[in-house]
Amino acid sequence: MTTTDDHAQKPPRKDPWELPDVSGLVVGVLGGTGDQGRGLAYRLALAGQEVIIGSRAAERAAGAAAEIGHGVEGADNAECARRSDIVIVAVPWDGHKALLASLREDLAGKLVVDCVNPLGFDKKGAYALTPEEGSAAEQAASLLPDSRVTAAFHHLSAVLLQDPAVESIDTDVLVLGEARADTDLVQALAQRITGMRGVFAGRLRNAHQVESLVANLISVNRRYKAHAGLRVTDV
Amino acid sequence: MTTTDDHAQKPPRKDPWELPDVSGLVVGVLGGTGDQGRGLAYRLALAGQEVIIGSRAAERAAGAAAEIGHGVEGADNAECARRSDIVIVAVPWDGHKALLASLREDLAGKLVVDCVNPLGFDKKGAYALTPEEGSAAEQAASLLPDSRVTAAFHHLSAVLLQDPAVESIDTDVLVLGEARADTDLVQALAQRITGMRGVFAGRLRNAHQVESLVANLISVNRRYKAHAGLRVTDV
């Protein structure tokens, strides 16, 4: 790898760790009844964030919300989207396109955080699928022209997120997006969770490899009987 | 992410950290006069490994080897391949296919470690290129049917590798391959370098995202003025 180094001849830049306060924002989790969604909702609520989980059926969402506790509410996906400032998309890849297409208006103006990993599975394990748009995040961006689409939270273990005995989620969250104001918000949201750090990691056109890396982490988990996450060093 | 967990009903398995002794193996570095190749050659030689760097011209390789010191030798690429047990491919992506095709016989029977990252660059930064074969590593495997092809050493900073003031390269090396005996050897080789750990991270079909992730690390480096690497957590 040849790393670029552009220290020279640039004006002083904003401290990349100076992130906005997101504690007052409402966070929606589409697919909030799945393992990943439940885990994120639990951790964010535990941190004091107002969280609404969404599901196809409002009743199912309400049931899951009650199980999670910590003030989490449930709603159908459209209401979840409308009532939230930041909307995490944690649905299975299979339903990603149809769901987002149906929520285009409800998600207008919202900060959308896609954390979907398009993967296939066979007897040799997991492998990356390549969406026509390049990545799940770019598919979201193409379906939601009136939303601000980012990508993050791909490499978290749903097992660790949901385990109340685990006090700290010691991992970095790679955050991708086109606008710094948006990725800063998502980084700040990640940092609400104890142990977690949000690290900017590029534009959406580089989301595919971040999504696909989950296939590798699944291999790591199998070999080492672990719940692997990532840390970025020297940052 | 839904991580698989197959603790149950399996026979006891070999400790994944029980790795072979590679201290007696000769390591060749094709493209050893480039920044990444020089850096790896320097670190491995410093660890006591016998290292031969290869270049198109033997003289150029000998000159670079003399600059690196620590007993590193130089040779033309074909001789480098023939004399080595493990051959690291650290050439630019542009020359990858032609070089490996020309070395098919010299590399027969060798353990090949591809660390090439197929990337494009434009004014928005780096982005992933997708080789026809899926990844640089899979291209190598298709060109070298008589070699044992693995992929590793993608996420290292050539700056840190080459800096003698940096005593420890604190990063994990994701190692991919089809045969455990081969990936174990590459992991062991990575662990010869102070601070470095070799972590098995899947089959070659999952190499593309590992190679491409360098585009994201370049974004990280730019934002944080860093030489980013990766650590796998919970392992």
Coordinates of all heavy atoms in Angstrom, one line a residue, chain A residues 4 24 72 141 145 168 185 217:
Chain A
T4 N -1.3 8.0 1.0 CA -1.1 9.4 0.6 C -0.9 10.2 1.9 O -1.4 9.9 2.9 CB -2.3 10.0 -0.2 OG1 -3.4 9.9 0.6 CG2 -2.5 9.2 -1.5
G24 N -29.9 14.7 21.9 CA -31.3 15.1 21.8 C -32.0 14.5 20.6 O -33.2 14.8 20.4
V72 N -37.4 2.2 25.1 CA -37.5 2.0 23.6 C -39.0 1.9 23.2 O -39.7 1.2 23.9 CB -36.7 0.8 23.2 CG1 -37.0 0.5 21.7 CG2 -35.2 1.0 23.4
A141 N -28.9 5.1 -1.3 CA -28.8 6.5 -1.8 C -29.5 6.7 -3.1 O -30.1 7.7 -3.3 CB -27.3 6.8 -2.0
P145 N -33.4 9.7 -2.8 CA -32.7 11.0 -3.3 C -32.9 12.2 -2.4 O -32.2 13.1 -2.4 CB -33.3 11.2 -4.7 CG -34.6 10.5 -4.7 CD -34.4 9.3 -3.8
S168 N -19.0 -3.0 27.7 CA -18.4 -2.1 26.7 C -18.2 -2.8 25.4 O -17.8 -4.0 25.3 CB -17.0 -1.7 27.3 OG -16.3 -0.9 26.4
L185 N -22.2 13.4 12.5 CA -23.4 13.0 13.3 C -23.4 11.5 13.6 O -23.6 11.1 14.7 CB -24.7 13.4 12.7 CG -25.1 14.9 12.7 CD1 -26.2 15.2 11.7 CD2 -25.5 15.3 14.1
L217 N -15.0 -11.5 8.7 CA -15.2 -11.6 10.2 C -15.9 -12.9 10.6 O -15.6 -13.4 11.6 CB -15.9 -10.3 10.7 CG -15.2 -9.0 10.5 CD1 -16.0 -7.9 11.1 CD2 -13.8 -9.1 11.2

